[in-house]
Amino acid sequence: WAMANVLTRGAFLDPADGRIALVPMLDMINHSPDTVGTDCSEREDGTIVLTTSDTWTQEEGAEIFIKYGPHSNQELLCDYGFAIKDN
């Protein structure tokens, strides 16, 4: 149960070594395959930073989406707890 919570709410800092960061408020942002990509990284001072691969404008009060990456529905369901129709 605890590992499922970490995996569905965390962001990999470096997939090669498996380090995961729990980023406050990150699980409030939903996935969309049609939006810009994001990256979670760690600065030299230990600060965790979420960045996008492109810039976009957002209407005030509109829902924010990020792209979790190119995942199959099996990966989305196991890692994030949802699947996408016709994925």
Side-chain angles (χ1 to χ4, degrees), residues 22-27:
L22 290 177
V23 182
M25 305 298 289
L26 183 63
D27 65 336

Side-chain angles (χ1 to χ4, degrees), residues 4-81:
N5 278 305
V6 170
L7 290 175
T8 60
R9 289 167 178 81
F12 281 96
L13 295 175
D14 184 353
D17 68 13
R19 291 185 310 140
I20 300 173
L22 290 177
V23 182
M25 305 298 289
L26 183 63
D27 65 336
M28 302 285 290
I29 304 173
N30 287 324
H31 166 79
S32 172
D34 302 320
T35 194
V36 298
T38 57
D39 181 54
C40 189
S41 59
E42 183 177 10
R43 293 182 178 165
E44 288 183 21
D45 67 359
T47 303
I48 307 301
V49 180
L50 183 68
T51 56
T52 62
S53 60
D54 200 357
T55 59
W56 80 97
T57 58
Q58 189 72 22
E59 296 286 327
E60 184 176 334
E63 184 173 2
I64 297 173
F65 292 94
I66 59 175
K67 186 185 298 182
Y68 293 179
H71 298 297
S72 67
N73 271 342
Q74 179 181 358
E75 291 171 306
L76 289 173
L77 187 59
C78 290
D79 292 344
Y80 302 106

